[in-house]
Amino acid sequence: MAQFATSLFHFKKEHADEAPERTFLGFAVGDQSYALDVAVVREILRIPRIYSLPKVPAFVKGLIDLRGEILPLMDLKERLGLGGVDTKRGRIVVMLPGASPLGLLVDTVLEVFRVKAGEIKPSPEMPASGNLEFLEGIVKVGENLYMLLKAGELLTPQELKALVRQPWAAGR
Amino acid sequence: MNKGLAGLVAAPLRGSIKNQLMAMLGILMVVGATVLAVVFYLQARSVSLGQMENSYRSLGDMVASLSAYDIQFNRSNLKNTEAAMLKADPNLLWVEYADAKGKVLESGGTLKSPPTQALGGPVQRAGVKLVASSAGQVLLVRAPIVQAQAAPASSTGELGFEPSAPAAPAQAASLGELRLVVGLAPLAQLRRGYLGFGLLVVLLTLLAGAVVSVAMVRYLMAPLGVLTSYASEVAGGKLTGFRGRMTRQDELGRLVTSFEGMAGNLSQMIRKIRDAFRRVEEGTQNVSRHLNITLSNTQNQEASTHQVQSQVDSIQKAVQQVSRLMEDLSQLAEEVSSSVLEMIASIDEIATNTEGLNDAVNTVASTLSQNVAGIRQIDSSAETLNTFVEETSAAMNEMESSIRQIEENAIATRKATELVASEALAGNQSAQHSSETIQKLQVSFEATTGVMKLLGQRSEEVGNILQVIDEVMEQTHLLALNAAIIAAQAGEHGKAFAVVAQEIKELAGKTSVSTREIAGLIDAVQHDVRQAVETVNSQRSLVDNSVAVTNETRKTFDRIQGAVRTSLQMVEEIARATTEQAKGTLGIVRSTEKLRDLAQHLRRGTKEQSLGSQQIIEAMDRIRSLSEEMKRATSEQSAGSALIRQAMDRLTAAVAEVLAQNQAQGQAGKEVERVMEDFASASRSNLASIREATGQVDSLSQRAEEVARVISQFQIEE
């Protein structure tokens, strides 16, 4: 209880020096840490039954039924070329990048953290970093170096369109 | 004489090393003193003569050089010199001067005939010589008188004292020579003095040697005395109190110290031996006690073996009785079977006769109006039928009595078999009784294993509960994260809630860690339990072995029981078959009675034949219907007979089986008997070996007591 009170106190103190802050949800894929702005995150799930789909790229694991709502499930690890997530242990981050929700399959969910806008560093410019467009920036929190994902750019427009064109999306 | 003397000398030497050493040192001292005296004498003699010679040679040379002037220019003074010399030294017996040509210039002394007369010219160098004279042996000293710096004179051809040095060139011209004759009286005096001194030295040496010898021998012999006293004490059995009687560091001192150490070690060793023997005694008593227990156990075993044997014997007897009864039964069954066969034949005859009757009735019916004589035939046929029926009835009665006998025999067999069963049960119980102790042990092992397994199950259950807790924690973690997201999305208002969510998440994490630790502990517990179960199982195999041996005996009894049970079943089947047979016989009797009635009816009918053809026709119709009925009855009877026959066959088979079972039982009984015989002989040999072992243990115990008594004679440090 005392500890709780202390942390509440700290929270209020932090809150006192008003700087624009953003809140992120950090998770791990392989040995890398990524984060998404909580604004686009709806919730975190354990992996339910996955209904696989025919003729889709490997990173599209299939569909899941979230309380009657049918969502496509994307394996972030597969998408990043790090191999597939173990579907017995992984977690699903349900995100809302645009109009329709999307399940993102990750290895573990780490924490919810706040950072000041100034602490976010731009993603490194590298000759071969053409594929790093989906990164918004990099931030270090404690031991972890989080790569901040741009929720809307995880998929190329073509891929997104291809997914939306799937029959399951037709009803929406 | 010589030998006696040697013995007299040797006797005191033989008993004591001290005396031997003393004698040895004495001899050494005497020999040394003698050698010293001789050396002294010889030395004294040679040294004093040499000294005298040297001193007189020097004197001669000195006086000769002093006289060189006188002999050239003042010869008269020579006389004075001579007189002075003679006066100064009383040892000088003669002094004379000679010129270069050997002519005596001056001479004087106490000698009457000096030994110088024969001498020639002067010598080149001074010399001394021992010569004989009228006054005994004297020293002759010749000293040349020469002129210094003068040209060397030719001196060759002269008589010289030293012919070995003639080559030495004379440096000075020879003027003459001085001759001195010296008496040897002072020499004798000197010699006496020397000898006296020598004697004194020898005596002193002897005295000092004796004192030193005695001291040395005493010093050397002291440890030997101590050792002698130690040895005599050890010989008397005393092994204590050897400490610090001698503190010397030499070989003998070390010998004494090591002897003390040896005595201490010996004492320790004897104490150890005594303790070991005490333990041996205790062990022997233990062994003896255990042997006694084993002996009584073996005797019990033997007694129970006898009991089992007697029970087996009684079983055997009962089995034989059953066998006899079964044989009787078999014979009876065969008899009954033959009776039944006879009966069946009779029934078949009845059937054919009935058939014939039927035909006849039909014939009569068709030809009645014309043929009345047929009625007679019918009458005779009815009569024959009647006699057959009577015969059948008699056979049936006989059969009934046979069946009753079978029933009685079956009951007797059953009783005997039940006796066997009860005996076998008793045998089994006594075998069970002997294995009860082992089974109890087994049960306790089972219980231990069960408790351990239960413990393992409990820990597994706890593990399952932990899994549930872990899952709940994971869920909580997830919920906390979701709450944090929602709080973050709620903005400012949700921040306090976010803190709560964080707290919950941390709590979940801590609980998860604790759960994992508990799971590890449970794994360890399960591992320990498995190990314990393995240990118990390895011990259980021993018990299982014992159980297997006792089970073997029990199985044999069980086989007997099984055989007896089969016998009982067979006997019961016989009883059932007999009952069925009786029932069938009853049916036959009923049919026969009906048949008899019919025959009587028939006879009555034929008698009433004369009443009219219409009546006859009616009667014939009735006869026909009756004969149909009879046919039916006969076939019924035939079926009953077949039933009887089947029952008889089954009976016979059952009897044969019982006989076979009985034989098997007899064999099993013999096997048991043999096993029990082996068991008994093993028990007897066990008993004999235990008695032998007891005897050996007793003799071992006696030996141990003897050793203990011997050890107790030693005085040792405790």
Side-chain angles (χ1 to χ4, degrees):
Chain A
M1 195 62 203
Q3 199 183 355
F4 174 56
T6 316
S7 47
L8 204 65
F9 171 72
H10 279 302
F11 164 68
K12 282 198 170 156
K13 216 172 91 182
E14 267 174 47
H15 197 64
D17 40 31
E18 289 285 338
E21 277 189 343
R22 287 177 65 187
T23 311
F24 288 92
L25 172 67
F27 44 83
V29 176
D31 54 355
Q32 300 172 4
S33 304
Y34 290 89
L36 267 174
D37 196 316
V38 289
V40 296
V41 175
R42 239 171 64 177
E43 61 183 304
I44 303 158
L45 300 177
R46 294 174 139 201
I47 297 177
R49 185 181 162 187
I50 298 171
Y51 301 89
S52 56
L53 290 170
K55 289 185 179 176
V56 288
F59 63 84
V60 179
K61 296 303 277 190
L63 304 178
I64 54 168
D65 181 355
L66 175 59
R67 297 185 286 273
E69 195 180 354
I70 308 296
L71 311 180
L73 183 61
M74 184 176 119
D75 190 335
L76 182 61
K77 202 170 176 183
E78 190 84 60
R79 177 72 185 137
L80 296 171
L82 301 171
V85 168
D86 180 3
T87 50
K88 285 202 183 81
R89 308 176 62 94
R91 293 278 184 270
I92 293 172
V93 177
V94 178
M95 52 185 247
L96 202 63
S100 50
L102 176 69
L104 203 59
L105 198 52
V106 300
D107 279 335
T108 43
V109 176
L110 296 172
E111 59 184 326
V112 172
F113 58 90
R114 283 197 306 277
V115 291
K116 293 193 178 92
E119 288 173 21
I120 298 171
K121 310 275 185 301
S123 57
E125 290 291 334
M126 280 192 277
S129 65
N131 285 337
L132 292 180
E133 280 165 6
F134 59 84
L135 286 187
E136 188 188 336
I138 290 169
V139 66
K140 185 150 191 334
V141 177
E143 292 293 307
N144 287 326
L145 188 73
Y146 285 107
M147 289 180 262
L148 306 181
L149 290 171
K150 282 185 201 164
E153 290 177 33
L154 276 176
L155 298 174
T156 61
Q158 287 85 3
E159 282 168 341
L160 201 61
K161 223 185 260 177
L163 273 180
V164 169
R165 231 185 269 135
Q166 291 293 327
W168 52 268
R172 289 188 59 88
Chain B
M1 182 65 200
N2 203 3
K3 216 170 178 181
L5 193 67
L8 207 66
V9 171
L13 295 180
R14 216 170 266 151
S16 158
I17 292 176
K18 198 171 172 178
N19 289 354
Q20 286 167 14
L21 270 175
M22 293 288 256
M24 226 141 65
L25 284 171
I27 289 164
L28 269 177
M29 273 190 299
V30 167
V31 168
T34 313
V35 169
L36 202 64
V38 169
V39 167
F40 244 102
Y41 175 75
L42 291 176
Q43 196 65 25
R45 200 179 152 184
S46 64
V47 163
S48 54
L49 192 67
Q51 276 179 347
M52 207 170 162
E53 279 171 1
N54 281 341
S55 60
Y56 278 99
R57 185 186 288 140
S58 318
L59 180 72
D61 275 348
M62 196 173 73
V63 173
S65 60
L66 286 176
S67 304
Y69 178 80
D70 284 348
I71 203 163
Q72 279 179 285
F73 311 110
N74 190 13
R75 286 197 177 175
S76 58
N77 201 34
L78 291 175
K79 180 87 176 158
N80 294 338
T81 310
E82 188 187 286
M85 279 171 78
L86 285 171
K87 197 181 175 189
D89 190 348
N91 287 338
L92 281 176
L93 298 179
W94 193 263
V95 178
E96 83 179 16
Y97 285 99
D99 64 3
K101 288 189 175 123
K103 185 190 166 196
V104 175
L105 298 175
E106 198 65 53
S107 67
T110 55
L111 280 179
K112 280 171 187 143
S113 57
T116 56
Q117 286 167 349
L119 294 176
V123 293
Q124 290 298 315
R125 292 177 67 185
V128 182
K129 195 182 176 187
L130 261 180
V131 291
S133 75
S134 55
Q137 274 209 317
V138 288
L139 272 181
L140 177 62
V141 181
R142 300 176 73 185
I145 302 167
V146 293
Q147 189 173 21
Q149 279 102 29
S154 146
S155 61
T156 49
E158 295 283 338
L159 256 176
F161 277 112
E162 289 180 19
S164 59
Q171 295 287 321
S174 180
L175 298 173
E177 82 174 351
L178 173 68
R179 294 167 182 164
L180 304 173
V181 175
V182 185
L184 290 177
L187 189 64
Q189 222 169 19
L190 201 66
R191 236 175 244 164
R192 271 199 300 280
Y194 255 106
L195 281 176
F197 178 70
L199 200 65
L200 189 69
V201 166
V202 166
L203 284 175
L204 281 174
T205 307
L206 276 173
L207 194 67
V211 168
V212 165
S213 297
V214 168
M216 219 162 82
V217 168
R218 280 232 178 111
Y219 179 72
L220 284 176
M221 292 308 285
L224 283 179
V226 172
L227 276 178
T228 310
S229 71
Y230 276 3
S232 59
E233 279 172 25
V234 168
K238 188 183 174 230
L239 289 172
T240 59
F242 296 136
R243 202 116 306 179
R245 288 200 204 167
M246 181 70 51
T247 51
R248 272 162 54 171
Q249 295 300 311
D250 58 6
E251 285 91 335
L252 284 171
R254 283 205 297 275
L255 180 62
V256 171
T257 314
S258 56
F259 193 91
E260 285 167 357
M262 187 189 78
N265 285 346
L266 208 58
S267 166
Q268 247 172 5
M269 225 140 69
I270 284 170
R271 198 168 59 240
K272 273 184 200 162
I273 290 169
R274 196 191 56 195
D275 292 350
F277 264 97
R278 274 182 197 155
R279 276 202 296 279
V280 166
E281 259 180 308
E282 279 166 26
T284 313
Q285 278 159 10
N286 271 351
V287 169
S288 188
R289 209 165 52 239
H290 284 305
L291 272 177
N292 281 338
I293 291 165
T294 313
L295 189 66
S296 71
N297 282 345
T298 313
Q299 278 163 352
N300 286 348
Q301 196 182 5
E302 212 183 14
S304 58
T305 308
H306 281 313
Q307 209 179 334
V308 170
Q309 262 179 328
S310 71
Q311 275 162 356
V312 168
D313 279 347
S314 63
I315 288 167
Q316 281 285 92
K317 267 178 213 152
V319 166
Q320 277 163 8
Q321 206 180 337
V322 169
S323 206
R324 260 200 314 282
L325 283 169
M326 285 320 292
E327 273 163 22
D328 289 354
L329 187 62
S330 179
Q331 230 170 350
L332 273 171
E334 268 169 38
E335 271 173 43
V336 170
S337 198
S338 67
S339 303
V340 166
L341 280 178
E342 235 172 275
M343 187 181 80
I344 286 168
S346 309
I347 287 166
D348 281 349
E349 225 169 318
I350 290 167
T352 51
N353 281 322
T354 311
E355 204 82 39
L357 177 69
N358 214 2
D359 287 350
V361 167
N362 281 340
T363 317
V364 168
S366 60
T367 60
L368 189 64
S369 48
Q370 293 95 17
N371 204 348
V372 185
I375 293 165
R376 292 253 180 264
Q377 208 181 333
I378 291 165
D379 192 40
S380 73
S381 291
E383 226 166 24
T384 321
L385 179 65
N386 211 13
T387 54
F388 273 129
V389 167
E390 293 293 337
E391 266 175 45
T392 307
S393 195
M396 283 323 293
N397 282 339
E398 203 180 313
M399 196 172 81
E400 226 173 9
S401 71
S402 300
I403 286 166
R404 213 160 292 128
Q405 210 169 345
I406 288 170
E407 242 172 353
E408 276 168 21
N409 277 328
I411 287 161
T413 310
R414 192 179 178 161
K415 270 183 192 159
T417 313
E418 272 166 2
L419 192 69
V420 172
S422 71
E423 290 289 346
L425 198 66
N428 202 349
Q429 272 167 357
S430 73
Q432 218 163 355
H433 183 70
S434 71
S435 74
E436 248 170 16
T437 324
I438 298 165
Q439 267 173 347
K440 267 181 203 162
L441 188 57
Q442 201 185 17
V443 164
S444 79
F445 268 126
E446 296 283 353
T448 311
T449 316
V451 167
M452 277 167 178
K453 275 182 186 158
L454 206 65
L455 185 59
Q457 277 173 3
R458 288 275 180 280
S459 12
E460 229 161 288
E461 278 166 29
V462 173
N464 290 342
I465 292 166
L466 283 179
Q467 229 167 4
V468 171
I469 293 172
D470 209 32
E471 209 157 326
V472 168
M473 282 308 128
E474 232 176 296
Q475 197 90 38
T476 311
H477 184 250
L478 206 63
L479 281 174
L481 275 171
N482 274 327
I485 291 166
I486 290 163
Q489 283 170 347
E492 286 303 311
H493 304 291
K495 282 199 174 171
F497 184 55
V499 175
V500 179
Q502 180 66 23
E503 285 299 317
I504 290 168
K505 198 186 128 189
E506 275 168 17
L507 272 178
K510 272 183 205 162
T511 313
S512 244
V513 168
S514 308
T515 313
R516 238 159 270 140
E517 274 171 20
I518 294 169
L521 285 175
I522 284 166
D523 274 351
V525 167
Q526 275 177 333
H527 177 75
D528 288 350
V529 166
R530 263 198 299 282
Q531 235 169 1
V533 167
E534 266 168 35
T535 312
V536 169
N537 278 348
S538 72
Q539 301 221 330
R540 217 171 66 179
S541 72
L542 290 173
V543 178
D544 282 349
N545 219 16
S546 312
V547 170
V549 171
T550 39
N551 276 354
E552 198 70 26
T553 317
R554 284 187 59 192
K555 256 186 225 158
T556 315
F557 277 115
D558 281 346
R559 274 210 295 279
I560 293 172
Q561 271 187 312
V564 169
R565 220 170 285 130
T566 318
S567 296
L568 262 177
Q569 250 173 8
M570 291 301 146
V571 169
E572 244 145 25
E573 213 165 317
I574 290 166
R576 208 168 46 243
T578 314
T579 314
E580 269 175 15
Q581 203 177 5
K583 254 190 255 169
T585 313
L586 206 68
I588 293 168
V589 168
R590 254 206 316 278
S591 299
T592 315
E593 269 163 11
K594 222 182 246 184
L595 197 61
R596 194 191 288 157
D597 287 351
L598 287 175
Q600 274 164 8
H601 273 298
L602 183 63
R603 284 198 78 184
R604 233 189 346 265
T606 47
K607 272 171 193 159
E608 286 167 7
Q609 201 178 13
S610 53
L611 290 176
S613 46
Q614 197 60 44
Q615 257 179 323
I616 289 169
I617 287 164
E618 278 171 23
M620 280 318 291
D621 279 341
R622 265 174 65 204
I623 287 167
R624 193 188 290 154
S625 70
L626 283 172
S627 77
E628 288 292 336
E629 208 174 319
M630 190 171 78
K631 204 169 153 187
R632 216 169 36 248
T634 312
S635 69
E636 205 178 305
Q637 197 176 5
S638 192
S641 299
L643 208 64
I644 290 168
R645 202 172 166 188
Q646 270 172 16
M648 282 317 294
D649 283 349
R650 267 163 65 191
L651 174 69
T652 315
V655 167
E657 205 169 331
V658 168
L659 267 175
Q661 287 291 343
N662 240 10
Q663 273 164 4
Q665 198 176 335
Q667 270 172 3
K670 268 172 202 150
E671 204 181 317
V672 170
E673 221 167 9
R674 196 165 41 75
V675 168
M676 289 321 292
E677 197 67 48
D678 288 353
F679 199 43
S681 73
S683 286
R684 273 198 293 281
S685 68
N686 270 1
L687 216 57
S689 53
I690 286 163
R691 276 190 191 124
E692 202 180 323
T694 312
Q696 280 166 358
V697 166
D698 283 349
S699 72
L700 185 62
S701 162
Q702 276 174 6
R703 294 276 154 73
E705 274 166 24
E706 270 172 48
V707 172
R709 195 158 43 71
V710 172
I711 287 168
S712 70
Q713 288 172 358
F714 282 104
Q715 270 181 284
I716 54 169
E717 290 165 30
E718 289 300 331

